[in-house]
Amino acid sequence: MKINVNTLFKMAAEGQKITMLTCYDTSFATLLDDAGVEILLVGDSLGMVIQGEDSTLPVTMEQMEYHTRCVARGAKNALVLSDMPFGSYQESPQQAFANAARLMQAGAHMVKVEGGAFMAETTRFLVERGIPVCSHIGLTPQFVNSFGGYRVQGKSENDAERILHDASALADAGASLVLMECVPAALAKRVSDGIAVPTIGIGAGVDVSGQVLVLHDILGVYPGRKARFVKNFMAGADSIQAAVAGYVTAVKARSFPAEEHCF
């Protein structure tokens, strides 16, 4: 079954967990698609796991287009979600549309934009012009220098209220998904309960519509520091296919993330 925005809303309404993994090439796109992963995220995380950079900031539009095309060729049923790289959308809604259109023409079905309520105008601009948007709030890696590192967001009441406001503003602007990264599980639940849009978590507890992890993390091959929310699904698996199937099963069964993966 071909996954689209309506499928995701239906799954969320029925309490069926949505699975998402990052993906950067055709071979893995085919494997993940066959395993039933609903969303393939062509993440700017490729800067770190593919290129060996220290952050996502060096990734370019040309690189995102290239990897989006590769993934789109292998995705028969999954929805292809592509990251808008740093510097490709912050200047103006018009700049964001021009670059989002490039990713859609490369095969994306939706684009992901980092930032809170200040990105609502840009989100609305894109949606009104036929580009579905996944909003990314909480820990937004492109803002790592502003945050002073990769830190949990929303721990204080003021920060929690800001994230709640961000989610509401972006949902009202027409976002099709709201992705939360590194926020306390209780806050993620408040966000999910408060908006009529499917929510995706990474380090955001189990009470969201779905989960996402970086492919290289679930396979245990990324050499960098492992975040608390990461689980190596290759441990005990006899193949990559089995590891991916284990991830899908665990998310659907709500056994991942467990308490040790949450904040």
Side-chain angles (χ1 to χ4, degrees):
M1 178 183 70
K2 186 68 177 176
I3 304 297
N4 57 39
V5 169
N6 292 336
T7 312
L8 302 178
F9 272 81
K10 184 173 185 291
M11 290 180 68
E14 294 176 351
Q16 299 181 53
K17 293 295 185 182
I18 299 165
T19 57
M20 182 192 300
L21 284 170
T22 63
C23 189
Y24 316 101
D25 62 46
T26 302
S27 296
F28 270 109
T30 301
L31 188 152
L32 301 186
D33 194 271
D34 288 345
V37 177
E38 281 89 13
I39 305 174
L40 307 186
L41 170 60
V42 187
D44 58 2
S45 51
L46 67 88
M48 300 173 78
V49 301
I50 301 293
Q51 300 172 343
E53 302 284 2
D54 291 333
S55 74
T56 64
L57 301 183
V59 176
T60 67
M61 270 300 302
E62 289 75 19
Q63 291 165 352
M64 289 305 304
E65 285 180 287
Y66 169 80
H67 287 279
T68 296
R69 285 196 177 91
C70 293
V71 171
R73 293 187 188 109
K76 300 299 183 281
N77 295 307
L79 183 146
V80 177
L81 168 62
S82 292
D83 269 336
M84 297 284 288
F86 181 72
S88 70
Y89 60 92
Q90 292 93 339
E91 182 178 336
S92 68
Q94 290 76 15
Q95 179 209 28
F97 176 79
N99 286 317
R102 289 170 61 180
L103 294 178
M104 299 292 282
Q105 289 167 343
H109 305 120
M110 184 185 296
V111 299
K112 182 162 73 64
V113 175
E114 294 187 17
F118 65 92
M119 292 305 302
E121 179 187 357
T122 294
T123 299
R124 183 174 290 106
F125 192 90
L126 295 178
V127 171
E128 287 175 347
R129 286 155 181 80
I131 298 179
V133 173
C134 171
S135 296
H136 184 160
I137 61 175
L139 172 59
T140 44
Q142 292 178 13
F143 292 72
V144 62
N145 291 313
S146 297
F147 290 150
Y150 298 97
R151 302 183 178 188
V152 179
Q153 302 295 304
K155 292 168 68 175
S156 72
E157 189 55 36
N158 284 342
D159 283 346
E161 289 300 324
R162 173 180 54 81
I163 288 174
L164 287 163
H165 173 67
D166 287 343
S168 178
L170 293 163
D172 289 345
S176 295
L177 291 173
V178 172
L179 188 152
M180 292 175 280
E181 181 170 356
C182 282
V183 301
L187 174 58
K189 185 178 188 305
R190 289 173 66 189
V191 170
S192 296
D193 290 345
I195 60 175
V197 173
T199 55
I200 303 295
I202 177 168
V206 73
D207 293 309
V208 288
S209 307
Q211 301 290 334
V212 61
L213 282 178
V214 171
L215 177 63
H216 291 58
D217 284 338
I218 76 158
L219 299 181
V221 296
Y222 180 59
R225 187 179 69 86
K226 306 300 186 290
R228 176 172 177 170
F229 52 76
V230 167
K231 179 176 178 179
N232 178 3
F233 282 87
M234 275 301 295
D238 60 6
S239 68
I240 291 174
Q241 288 87 343
V244 173
Y247 168 76
V248 172
T249 298
V251 171
K252 300 287 186 185
R254 299 172 62 96
S255 62
F256 178 83
E259 186 175 348
E260 64 265 26
H261 305 116
C262 303
F263 300 102

